[in-house]
Every structure is written in C-alpha cells, then in structure tokens.
Amino acid sequence: PETDCTCTPADKAAAEARRQLEADRIAPEKQTARITTEKRKGGRTATVINGLTAKANDLPALLSKLQTACGTGGTVKAKEDLIELQGDHAATARQCLTEIGYRVK
C-alpha cells in the first residue's frame, strides 16, 4: 500500500523515468539502420549510421560496441539521431549491427 511506502519523491520519479524509458525501447529486429560513408575536410572519412532514434535505443552503449568492433573512435549526435565512426568502417559496422539483430541498408 502507498501508506507503507518509504520511497522519496525523487526515488519515485527515477523509477517512473526508468519504466518510461523501457516502454519507449524498440526491439532491434524492428529497426533499420542506414550506413553511409562521408568525406570530411582534410580528406578524412567518417562512417555515419542513422535511422536509429535515441528514444528507442541506447545509442551510447551501441557506440561502445561499434567502437570496440571497429577499433576506432566515434561520437553520438543524439539531436540528429546518428552515430559517427572515424574512418571507413562500413563493412565492420554492418556485420556488428547484423549480429546484434538490426536490419541494415
């Protein structure tokens, strides 16, 4: 019963936020990632993965997996819902995302 609850209002708000976050998640099998490579200034190449929203995914955790698989640096741009990896790692990123369960184009 609520009368016996010893949670603080902050604890209740944090628990509700976690429940909402889990409710917003979408299974990887129901999402499609688009992988492209872009030329940047100075002749550098970047692999860009978009099509995965920050609301439906844990993009920082996904970035960590991709960085480990590719052996490179990268960043998450949550406002634009994309992941950037340094260098041309399209094939490795495609394989890693497929193993996790995402559809890849």
XYZ file of all heavy atoms in Angstrom:
778
model
N 0.827 -1.206 0.000
C 0.000 0.000 0.000
C 0.867 1.263 0.000
O 1.985 1.254 0.518
C -0.803 -0.101 1.283
C -0.663 -1.504 1.761
C 0.558 -2.068 1.117
N 0.333 2.325 -0.522
C 1.078 3.581 -0.591
C 1.360 4.156 0.787
O 2.338 4.877 0.969
C 0.316 4.602 -1.429
C 0.387 4.314 -2.902
C -0.154 5.464 -3.730
O -0.050 6.621 -3.288
O -0.664 5.186 -4.816
N 0.546 3.846 1.762
C 0.773 4.384 3.106
C 2.027 3.793 3.732
O 2.660 4.427 4.569
C -0.432 4.079 4.018
O -0.658 2.658 4.030
C -1.671 4.801 3.531
N 2.412 2.570 3.332
C 3.606 1.920 3.864
C 4.866 2.224 3.058
O 5.955 1.805 3.437
C 3.408 0.399 3.913
C 2.295 0.005 4.865
O 1.972 0.811 5.756
O 1.748 -1.101 4.704
N 4.746 2.928 1.960
C 5.883 3.211 1.080
C 6.859 4.175 1.756
O 6.467 5.188 2.318
C 5.401 3.800 -0.237
S 6.725 4.071 -1.422
N 8.162 3.822 1.669
C 9.191 4.680 2.260
C 10.025 5.383 1.195
O 11.063 5.952 1.499
C 10.116 3.848 3.166
O 10.722 2.822 2.368
C 9.354 3.241 4.326
N 9.592 5.327 -0.047
C 10.326 5.958 -1.152
C 10.198 7.475 -1.062
O 9.148 8.005 -0.709
C 9.776 5.500 -2.494
S 9.905 3.744 -2.779
N 11.252 8.144 -1.452
C 11.200 9.602 -1.536
C 10.590 9.975 -2.880
O 10.567 9.163 -3.818
C 12.610 10.203 -1.422
O 13.371 9.795 -2.555
C 13.299 9.771 -0.140
N 10.113 11.188 -3.027
C 9.579 11.607 -4.333
C 10.611 11.496 -5.454
O 10.275 11.180 -6.586
C 9.166 13.060 -4.100
C 8.875 13.126 -2.634
C 9.845 12.178 -1.994
N 11.888 11.724 -5.141
C 12.939 11.599 -6.160
C 13.083 10.142 -6.611
O 13.271 9.869 -7.801
C 14.261 12.114 -5.622
N 12.988 9.203 -5.646
C 13.058 7.779 -5.995
C 11.894 7.373 -6.889
O 12.048 6.622 -7.847
C 13.061 6.906 -4.733
C 14.332 7.039 -3.928
O 15.360 7.484 -4.501
O 14.301 6.695 -2.729
N 10.701 7.859 -6.556
C 9.519 7.548 -7.357
C 9.654 8.106 -8.769
O 9.312 7.443 -9.747
C 8.263 8.113 -6.695
C 7.877 7.381 -5.429
C 6.634 7.994 -4.812
C 6.307 7.328 -3.490
N 5.129 7.911 -2.855
N 10.172 9.330 -8.889
C 10.351 9.945 -10.210
C 11.389 9.183 -11.026
O 11.203 8.972 -12.228
C 10.765 11.401 -10.060
N 12.473 8.741 -10.384
C 13.510 7.982 -11.095
C 12.972 6.639 -11.566
O 13.253 6.208 -12.688
C 14.722 7.780 -10.203
N 12.185 5.968 -10.743
C 11.598 4.683 -11.129
C 10.631 4.865 -12.290
O 10.604 4.047 -13.227
C 10.895 4.050 -9.935
N 9.845 5.917 -12.250
C 8.906 6.179 -13.346
C 9.653 6.498 -14.637
O 9.264 6.071 -15.719
C 7.971 7.336 -12.973
C 6.959 7.669 -14.037
C 6.035 6.519 -14.390
O 5.713 5.695 -13.524
O 5.639 6.438 -15.579
N 10.747 7.238 -14.539
C 11.545 7.563 -15.726
C 12.142 6.293 -16.331
O 12.160 6.133 -17.556
C 12.656 8.543 -15.358
N 12.620 5.368 -15.491
C 13.155 4.099 -15.996
C 12.078 3.271 -16.677
O 12.304 2.675 -17.723
C 13.781 3.284 -14.860
C 15.256 3.602 -14.661
C 15.797 2.760 -13.568
N 15.172 3.411 -12.442
C 15.237 3.149 -11.164
N 15.853 2.235 -10.752
N 14.660 3.820 -10.240
N 10.875 3.231 -16.070
C 9.761 2.487 -16.693
C 9.406 3.081 -18.048
O 9.167 2.356 -19.008
C 8.546 2.500 -15.770
C 8.564 1.439 -14.704
C 7.188 1.284 -14.070
N 6.814 2.465 -13.297
C 7.126 2.661 -12.024
N 7.800 1.763 -11.365
N 6.737 3.759 -11.404
N 9.376 4.406 -18.135
C 9.038 5.064 -19.398
C 10.107 4.813 -20.446
O 9.812 4.576 -21.612
C 8.850 6.574 -19.185
C 8.374 7.307 -20.415
C 7.011 6.840 -20.878
O 6.122 6.587 -20.082
N 6.847 6.711 -22.177
N 11.377 4.826 -20.037
C 12.482 4.577 -20.950
C 12.386 3.170 -21.537
O 12.553 2.970 -22.734
C 13.810 4.771 -20.228
C 15.068 4.697 -21.064
C 15.099 5.857 -22.058
C 16.295 4.743 -20.181
N 12.090 2.191 -20.691
C 11.953 0.810 -21.158
C 10.727 0.652 -22.049
O 10.737 -0.135 -22.992
C 11.886 -0.153 -19.974
C 13.199 -0.291 -19.252
C 14.334 -0.754 -20.144
O 14.126 -1.669 -20.969
O 15.423 -0.174 -20.038
N 9.658 1.392 -21.781
C 8.455 1.318 -22.604
C 8.700 1.895 -23.997
O 8.089 1.457 -24.974
C 7.306 2.057 -21.926
N 9.602 2.874 -24.104
C 9.899 3.511 -25.386
C 10.850 2.689 -26.248
O 10.977 2.951 -27.441
C 10.507 4.899 -25.170
C 9.500 5.883 -24.613
O 8.291 5.640 -24.750
O 9.934 6.904 -24.039
N 11.546 1.718 -25.670
C 12.526 0.910 -26.418
C 11.827 0.078 -27.488
O 10.735 -0.423 -27.291
C 13.292 -0.022 -25.489
C 14.135 0.695 -24.465
C 15.370 1.263 -25.111
N 16.215 1.892 -24.099
C 16.805 3.034 -24.277
N 16.686 3.683 -25.386
N 17.547 3.550 -23.336
N 12.498 -0.063 -28.622
C 12.005 -0.874 -29.735
C 13.023 -1.975 -29.976
O 14.228 -1.734 -29.943
C 11.830 -0.017 -31.002
C 10.812 1.095 -30.755
C 11.401 -0.882 -32.177
C 10.689 2.076 -31.895
N 12.542 -3.180 -30.239
C 13.434 -4.317 -30.479
C 14.290 -4.054 -31.718
O 13.814 -3.461 -32.697
C 12.625 -5.585 -30.669
N 15.565 -4.491 -31.711
C 16.444 -4.264 -32.868
C 15.887 -4.853 -34.163
O 16.101 -4.287 -35.235
C 17.749 -4.959 -32.481
C 17.739 -4.994 -31.008
C 16.300 -5.109 -30.610
N 15.164 -5.955 -34.085
C 14.637 -6.597 -35.288
C 13.617 -5.725 -36.019
O 13.359 -5.921 -37.197
C 13.968 -7.937 -34.935
C 14.887 -8.944 -34.301
C 15.074 -8.731 -32.797
O 14.178 -8.163 -32.133
O 16.147 -9.100 -32.293
N 13.045 -4.744 -35.323
C 12.015 -3.886 -35.904
C 12.577 -2.556 -36.397
O 11.816 -1.670 -36.774
C 10.921 -3.619 -34.872
C 10.185 -4.874 -34.465
C 9.121 -4.568 -33.460
C 8.398 -5.844 -33.047
N 7.356 -5.574 -32.072
N 13.910 -2.409 -36.404
C 14.536 -1.154 -36.803
C 15.507 -1.379 -37.952
O 16.106 -2.437 -38.061
C 15.300 -0.545 -35.624
C 14.425 -0.240 -34.438
C 15.229 0.352 -33.325
O 15.768 1.440 -33.470
N 15.322 -0.358 -32.225
N 15.656 -0.364 -38.783
C 16.584 -0.436 -39.902
C 17.626 0.669 -39.764
O 17.282 1.843 -39.656
C 15.842 -0.269 -41.238
O 14.849 -1.290 -41.333
C 16.789 -0.394 -42.411
N 18.886 0.258 -39.782
C 19.998 1.215 -39.719
C 20.504 1.464 -41.135
O 20.583 0.541 -41.943
C 21.117 0.656 -38.852
N 20.840 2.700 -41.433
C 21.403 3.059 -42.726
C 22.854 3.478 -42.509
O 23.123 4.379 -41.729
C 20.602 4.183 -43.354
C 19.244 3.713 -43.824
C 18.429 4.852 -44.394
N 17.199 4.396 -45.007
C 16.146 3.942 -44.339
N 16.188 3.871 -43.043
N 15.061 3.549 -44.980
N 23.742 2.814 -43.235
C 25.170 3.078 -43.081
C 25.680 3.774 -44.336
O 25.468 3.288 -45.442
C 25.950 1.773 -42.847
C 25.437 1.080 -41.578
C 27.435 2.052 -42.748
C 26.062 -0.261 -41.325
N 26.342 4.906 -44.144
C 26.950 5.628 -45.255
C 28.350 6.064 -44.842
O 28.671 6.112 -43.660
C 26.139 6.885 -45.630
O 26.039 7.737 -44.489
C 24.747 6.531 -46.120
N 29.172 6.367 -45.838
C 30.477 6.945 -45.564
C 30.494 8.347 -46.155
O 29.932 8.587 -47.225
C 31.629 6.113 -46.158
O 31.401 5.951 -47.549
C 31.714 4.756 -45.493
N 31.109 9.259 -45.435
C 31.176 10.649 -45.870
C 32.617 11.114 -45.873
O 33.392 10.743 -44.997
C 30.366 11.546 -44.929
C 28.898 11.255 -44.910
C 28.138 12.153 -43.940
O 28.791 12.962 -43.227
O 26.912 12.051 -43.890
N 32.956 11.917 -46.854
C 34.273 12.558 -46.902
C 34.186 13.840 -46.099
O 33.247 14.612 -46.231
C 34.653 12.890 -48.341
C 35.087 11.682 -49.138
C 36.435 11.230 -48.698
C 37.365 11.237 -49.884
N 38.656 10.742 -49.552
N 35.168 14.069 -45.272
C 35.228 15.278 -44.464
C 36.385 16.136 -44.934
O 37.197 15.713 -45.748
C 35.415 14.918 -42.985
C 34.291 14.071 -42.418
C 33.017 14.901 -42.353
N 31.834 14.114 -42.102
C 31.343 13.855 -40.906
N 31.948 14.303 -39.837
N 30.239 13.150 -40.785
N 36.469 17.334 -44.391
C 37.566 18.217 -44.782
C 38.896 17.587 -44.393
O 38.987 16.842 -43.422
C 37.407 19.595 -44.151
C 37.484 19.606 -42.658
C 37.310 21.025 -42.151
C 37.449 21.032 -40.628
N 37.309 22.352 -40.083
N 39.897 17.860 -45.160
C 41.215 17.293 -44.903
C 41.359 15.877 -45.424
O 42.331 15.200 -45.110
N 40.383 15.393 -46.189
C 40.476 14.062 -46.761
C 40.098 12.937 -45.809
O 40.266 11.763 -46.138
N 39.584 13.274 -44.638
C 39.197 12.237 -43.682
C 37.867 11.614 -44.090
O 37.035 12.238 -44.741
C 39.073 12.823 -42.287
C 40.400 13.312 -41.749
C 40.211 13.933 -40.422
N 39.190 14.982 -40.524
C 39.078 15.993 -39.710
N 39.894 16.100 -38.707
N 38.142 16.893 -39.877
N 37.662 10.385 -43.682
C 36.428 9.664 -43.982
C 35.729 9.338 -42.669
O 36.380 9.012 -41.678
C 36.736 8.354 -44.727
O 37.516 8.664 -45.879
C 35.473 7.660 -45.164
N 34.404 9.398 -42.665
C 33.611 9.046 -41.485
C 32.505 8.094 -41.901
O 31.892 8.250 -42.963
C 33.013 10.289 -40.846
N 32.258 7.099 -41.087
C 31.142 6.186 -41.291
C 29.986 6.698 -40.450
O 30.131 6.885 -39.243
C 31.520 4.757 -40.854
O 32.670 4.346 -41.588
C 30.386 3.788 -41.108
N 28.845 6.938 -41.083
C 27.690 7.508 -40.404
C 26.566 6.470 -40.392
O 26.217 5.900 -41.426
C 27.211 8.795 -41.111
C 25.997 9.375 -40.416
C 28.336 9.815 -41.162
N 26.008 6.245 -39.208
C 24.905 5.309 -39.042
C 23.706 6.110 -38.574
O 23.733 6.717 -37.505
C 25.258 4.219 -38.004
C 26.507 3.479 -38.459
C 24.082 3.267 -37.816
C 27.151 2.654 -37.396
N 22.649 6.121 -39.370
C 21.437 6.829 -38.968
C 20.240 5.894 -39.121
O 20.370 4.775 -39.576
C 21.254 8.141 -39.739
C 21.238 7.935 -41.228
O 21.094 6.836 -41.721
N 21.396 9.012 -41.955
N 19.068 6.372 -38.732
C 17.872 5.552 -38.776
C 17.540 4.928 -37.431
O 16.504 4.298 -37.278
N 18.408 5.097 -36.443
C 18.170 4.579 -35.095
C 17.937 5.770 -34.178
O 18.811 6.610 -34.023
C 19.372 3.763 -34.609
C 19.836 2.640 -35.517
C 21.100 1.997 -34.967
C 18.746 1.602 -35.687
N 16.770 5.862 -33.576
C 16.456 7.022 -32.748
C 17.011 6.861 -31.341
O 17.127 5.753 -30.819
C 14.937 7.244 -32.654
O 14.347 6.098 -32.048
C 14.331 7.478 -34.023
N 17.340 7.973 -30.729
C 17.869 7.964 -29.365
C 16.793 7.534 -28.371
O 17.099 6.948 -27.339
C 18.393 9.347 -29.002
N 15.534 7.799 -28.688
C 14.439 7.431 -27.783
C 14.236 5.922 -27.754
O 13.929 5.351 -26.713
C 13.154 8.124 -28.240
C 11.995 7.937 -27.308
C 10.806 8.748 -27.756
C 9.650 8.577 -26.789
N 8.479 9.345 -27.204
N 14.440 5.258 -28.888
C 14.178 3.819 -28.990
C 15.419 2.966 -28.731
O 15.320 1.747 -28.660
C 13.614 3.492 -30.365
N 16.587 3.574 -28.590
C 17.841 2.832 -28.431
C 18.727 3.486 -27.388
O 18.592 4.662 -27.094
C 18.623 2.814 -29.756
C 17.874 2.101 -30.837
O 17.767 0.901 -30.823
N 17.336 2.865 -31.779
N 19.670 2.714 -26.893
C 20.713 3.253 -26.032
C 21.921 3.505 -26.937
O 22.795 2.654 -27.077
C 21.043 2.254 -24.919
C 22.017 2.815 -23.911
O 22.328 4.027 -23.997
O 22.475 2.055 -23.044
N 21.935 4.657 -27.589
C 22.967 4.946 -28.580
C 24.382 4.960 -28.004
O 25.297 4.465 -28.658
C 22.662 6.261 -29.304
C 21.420 6.258 -30.203
C 21.275 7.604 -30.905
C 21.457 5.146 -31.215
N 24.630 5.483 -26.797
C 25.999 5.418 -26.270
C 26.506 3.981 -26.086
O 27.666 3.690 -26.362
C 25.906 6.156 -24.937
C 24.776 7.116 -25.127
C 23.790 6.364 -25.979
N 25.644 3.074 -25.640
C 26.056 1.671 -25.479
C 26.312 1.037 -26.847
O 27.273 0.274 -27.018
C 24.995 0.889 -24.727
N 25.481 1.367 -27.821
C 25.669 0.849 -29.174
C 26.964 1.392 -29.776
O 27.710 0.656 -30.429
C 24.476 1.226 -30.047
C 24.450 0.681 -31.453
C 24.511 -0.851 -31.453
C 23.198 1.143 -32.172
N 27.265 2.663 -29.524
C 28.516 3.253 -29.995
C 29.707 2.518 -29.400
O 30.673 2.228 -30.111
C 28.584 4.738 -29.646
C 29.917 5.428 -29.933
C 30.187 5.472 -31.430
C 29.942 6.810 -29.340
N 29.652 2.192 -28.127
C 30.760 1.479 -27.480
C 31.010 0.129 -28.140
O 32.158 -0.260 -28.375
C 30.465 1.273 -26.000
O 30.443 2.497 -25.336
N 29.932 -0.586 -28.466
C 30.084 -1.883 -29.138
C 30.714 -1.714 -30.517
O 31.587 -2.482 -30.912
C 28.727 -2.575 -29.271
C 28.165 -3.060 -27.967
C 26.816 -3.691 -28.165
C 26.195 -4.068 -26.820
N 24.858 -4.620 -26.977
N 30.268 -0.696 -31.243
C 30.809 -0.453 -32.581
C 32.266 -0.010 -32.520
O 33.079 -0.435 -33.344
C 29.960 0.585 -33.315
C 28.569 0.123 -33.730
C 27.735 1.306 -34.192
C 28.654 -0.919 -34.819
N 32.613 0.831 -31.559
C 33.992 1.277 -31.418
C 34.910 0.104 -31.104
O 36.007 0.005 -31.637
C 34.114 2.323 -30.308
C 33.595 3.682 -30.691
C 33.680 4.661 -29.542
O 33.433 4.304 -28.394
N 34.021 5.898 -29.854
N 34.456 -0.795 -30.250
C 35.253 -1.969 -29.909
C 35.432 -2.866 -31.121
O 36.531 -3.350 -31.393
C 34.582 -2.749 -28.768
O 34.440 -1.882 -27.650
C 35.407 -3.962 -28.376
N 34.351 -3.075 -31.874
C 34.418 -3.946 -33.048
C 35.304 -3.356 -34.141
O 36.050 -4.080 -34.806
C 33.015 -4.203 -33.594
N 35.244 -2.036 -34.320
C 35.991 -1.386 -35.395
C 37.384 -0.932 -34.949
O 38.233 -0.648 -35.794
C 35.225 -0.170 -35.915
S 33.641 -0.585 -36.665
N 37.610 -0.806 -33.668
C 38.892 -0.326 -33.166
C 39.134 1.122 -33.525
O 40.232 1.500 -33.934
N 38.116 1.944 -33.360
C 38.215 3.344 -33.752
C 37.436 4.225 -32.792
O 36.720 3.731 -31.925
C 37.687 3.531 -35.187
O 37.960 4.857 -35.612
C 36.204 3.277 -35.280
N 37.545 5.519 -32.954
C 36.794 6.477 -32.152
C 35.490 6.830 -32.840
O 35.249 6.468 -33.989
N 34.657 7.527 -32.129
C 33.389 7.929 -32.709
C 32.611 8.790 -31.743
O 33.070 9.092 -30.645
N 31.412 9.176 -32.164
C 30.566 10.027 -31.343
C 29.102 9.746 -31.644
O 28.755 9.233 -32.710
C 30.882 11.514 -31.572
O 30.144 12.287 -30.630
C 30.533 11.961 -32.970
N 28.258 10.114 -30.684
C 26.809 10.050 -30.846
C 26.300 11.468 -30.959
O 26.659 12.326 -30.150
C 26.140 9.361 -29.638
C 24.637 9.490 -29.706
C 26.537 7.912 -29.556
N 25.483 11.723 -31.949
C 24.827 13.017 -32.075
C 23.330 12.759 -31.864
O 22.595 12.465 -32.809
C 25.106 13.644 -33.428
C 26.585 13.951 -33.590
C 26.853 14.885 -34.707
C 28.354 15.210 -34.703
N 28.719 16.044 -35.815
N 22.906 12.844 -30.598
C 21.546 12.480 -30.221
C 20.503 13.403 -30.849
O 19.403 12.958 -31.178
C 21.398 12.487 -28.707
N 20.834 14.683 -31.010
C 19.877 15.609 -31.614
C 19.555 15.215 -33.049
O 18.443 15.394 -33.526
C 20.410 17.035 -31.581
C 20.436 17.642 -30.206
C 20.906 19.073 -30.261
C 20.967 19.676 -28.868
N 21.449 21.054 -28.886
N 20.534 14.668 -33.745
C 20.349 14.270 -35.137
C 20.083 12.773 -35.267
O 19.909 12.274 -36.369
C 21.600 14.650 -35.935
C 21.872 16.136 -35.901
C 23.268 16.478 -36.399
O 23.950 15.593 -36.920
O 23.663 17.640 -36.249
N 20.078 12.053 -34.143
C 19.863 10.600 -34.116
C 20.830 9.870 -35.034
O 20.423 9.069 -35.881
C 18.416 10.247 -34.496
C 17.438 10.584 -33.385
O 17.865 10.579 -32.217
O 16.263 10.835 -33.682
N 22.118 10.123 -34.854
C 23.100 9.391 -35.648
C 24.343 9.079 -34.851
O 24.618 9.675 -33.823
C 23.456 10.143 -36.937
C 24.052 11.532 -36.881
C 25.552 11.477 -36.738
C 23.701 12.251 -38.165
N 25.072 8.083 -35.356
C 26.335 7.655 -34.773
C 27.398 7.869 -35.831
O 27.198 7.508 -36.996
C 26.290 6.167 -34.366
C 25.268 5.943 -33.258
C 27.661 5.679 -33.939
C 25.056 4.486 -32.916
N 28.530 8.454 -35.450
C 29.645 8.652 -36.372
C 30.847 7.861 -35.886
O 31.177 7.903 -34.703
C 30.032 10.129 -36.458
C 29.046 10.986 -37.188
C 29.533 12.418 -37.329
O 30.593 12.753 -36.764
O 28.846 13.191 -37.996
N 31.488 7.152 -36.794
C 32.736 6.449 -36.517
C 33.826 7.054 -37.373
O 33.588 7.396 -38.537
C 32.602 4.954 -36.844
C 31.591 4.166 -36.025
C 31.448 2.766 -36.607
C 32.023 4.097 -34.583
N 35.024 7.176 -36.824
C 36.139 7.741 -37.579
C 36.676 6.689 -38.538
O 36.965 5.564 -38.132
C 37.247 8.181 -36.626
C 36.836 9.281 -35.693
C 37.879 9.543 -34.631
O 38.856 8.823 -34.511
N 37.664 10.591 -33.843
N 36.779 7.043 -39.801
C 37.318 6.131 -40.804
C 36.224 5.392 -41.554
O 35.042 5.506 -41.256
N 36.643 4.615 -42.544
C 35.714 3.843 -43.367
C 35.571 2.449 -42.764
O 36.372 1.559 -43.022
C 36.230 3.772 -44.808
C 35.242 3.096 -45.741
O 34.155 2.699 -45.272
O 35.562 2.960 -46.930
N 34.537 2.272 -41.951
C 34.292 1.004 -41.272
C 32.894 0.484 -41.588
O 32.260 -0.160 -40.745
C 34.452 1.165 -39.762
C 35.820 1.569 -39.350
N 36.884 0.703 -39.354
C 36.313 2.766 -38.955
C 37.967 1.341 -38.952
N 37.651 2.602 -38.718
N 32.409 0.736 -42.800
C 31.045 0.369 -43.161
C 30.830 -1.146 -43.085
O 29.823 -1.604 -42.547
C 30.714 0.879 -44.561
N 31.759 -1.930 -43.588
C 31.591 -3.390 -43.592
C 31.582 -3.955 -42.175
O 30.735 -4.789 -41.834
C 32.694 -4.041 -44.415
N 32.492 -3.496 -41.336
C 32.563 -3.986 -39.957
C 31.331 -3.555 -39.174
O 30.769 -4.339 -38.410
C 33.833 -3.467 -39.267
O 34.959 -3.754 -40.077
C 34.007 -4.105 -37.911
N 30.889 -2.311 -39.346
C 29.703 -1.813 -38.655
C 28.463 -2.584 -39.112
O 27.603 -2.936 -38.294
C 29.518 -0.320 -38.915
N 28.379 -2.874 -40.411
C 27.252 -3.643 -40.946
C 27.204 -5.021 -40.296
O 26.147 -5.487 -39.857
C 27.384 -3.763 -42.465
C 26.260 -4.504 -43.144
C 26.482 -4.563 -44.653
N 26.831 -3.284 -45.236
C 25.949 -2.342 -45.595
N 24.670 -2.564 -45.432
N 26.365 -1.199 -46.117
N 28.344 -5.682 -40.204
C 28.412 -7.011 -39.609
C 28.035 -6.970 -38.126
O 27.268 -7.806 -37.652
C 29.816 -7.590 -39.774
C 29.969 -8.965 -39.170
C 31.408 -9.457 -39.270
O 32.291 -8.746 -39.745
N 31.631 -10.672 -38.824
N 28.547 -6.000 -37.399
C 28.271 -5.879 -35.970
C 26.781 -5.617 -35.711
O 26.178 -6.240 -34.845
C 29.127 -4.774 -35.370
S 28.977 -4.616 -33.584
N 26.190 -4.699 -36.466
C 24.777 -4.399 -36.299
C 23.889 -5.580 -36.660
O 22.878 -5.840 -36.016
C 24.390 -3.177 -37.133
C 24.935 -1.830 -36.638
C 24.664 -0.736 -37.647
C 24.331 -1.474 -35.285
N 24.278 -6.338 -37.681
C 23.530 -7.518 -38.082
C 23.580 -8.576 -36.980
O 22.574 -9.229 -36.694
C 24.057 -8.084 -39.399
O 24.005 -7.049 -40.397
C 23.245 -9.257 -39.866
N 24.734 -8.743 -36.354
C 24.872 -9.708 -35.265
C 24.006 -9.325 -34.068
O 23.463 -10.190 -33.386
C 26.330 -9.817 -34.824
C 27.215 -10.531 -35.815
C 28.684 -10.483 -35.433
O 29.020 -9.913 -34.370
O 29.490 -11.005 -36.222
N 23.870 -8.038 -33.805
C 23.015 -7.571 -32.709
C 21.555 -7.819 -33.037
O 20.761 -8.092 -32.145
C 23.277 -6.083 -32.410
C 24.698 -5.894 -31.887
C 22.274 -5.536 -31.409
C 25.128 -4.453 -31.772
N 21.198 -7.753 -34.323
C 19.816 -8.018 -34.730
C 19.160 -6.910 -35.529
O 17.995 -7.031 -35.904
N 19.885 -5.846 -35.814
C 19.313 -4.747 -36.613
C 19.279 -5.125 -38.088
O 20.126 -5.855 -38.575
C 20.163 -3.475 -36.456
C 20.065 -2.847 -35.093
C 21.044 -3.072 -34.141
C 19.008 -2.025 -34.755
C 20.981 -2.504 -32.884
C 18.930 -1.452 -33.497
C 19.906 -1.694 -32.569
O 19.817 -1.130 -31.334
N 18.269 -4.594 -38.783
C 18.272 -4.683 -40.247
C 19.154 -3.553 -40.739
O 19.130 -2.454 -40.186
C 16.854 -4.523 -40.794
C 15.944 -5.698 -40.436
C 14.583 -5.481 -40.992
N 13.979 -4.353 -40.260
C 12.708 -4.019 -40.313
N 11.884 -4.675 -41.077
N 12.249 -3.008 -39.628
N 19.934 -3.816 -41.788
C 20.911 -2.836 -42.250
C 20.731 -2.599 -43.741
O 20.576 -3.538 -44.522
C 22.349 -3.310 -41.958
C 23.356 -2.299 -42.459
C 22.524 -3.576 -40.484
N 20.764 -1.317 -44.134
C 20.741 -0.940 -45.553
C 22.010 -0.210 -45.866
O 22.595 0.443 -45.072
C 19.556 -0.027 -45.858
C 18.260 -0.767 -45.934
C 17.200 0.167 -46.442
C 15.905 -0.595 -46.613
N 14.852 0.239 -47.125
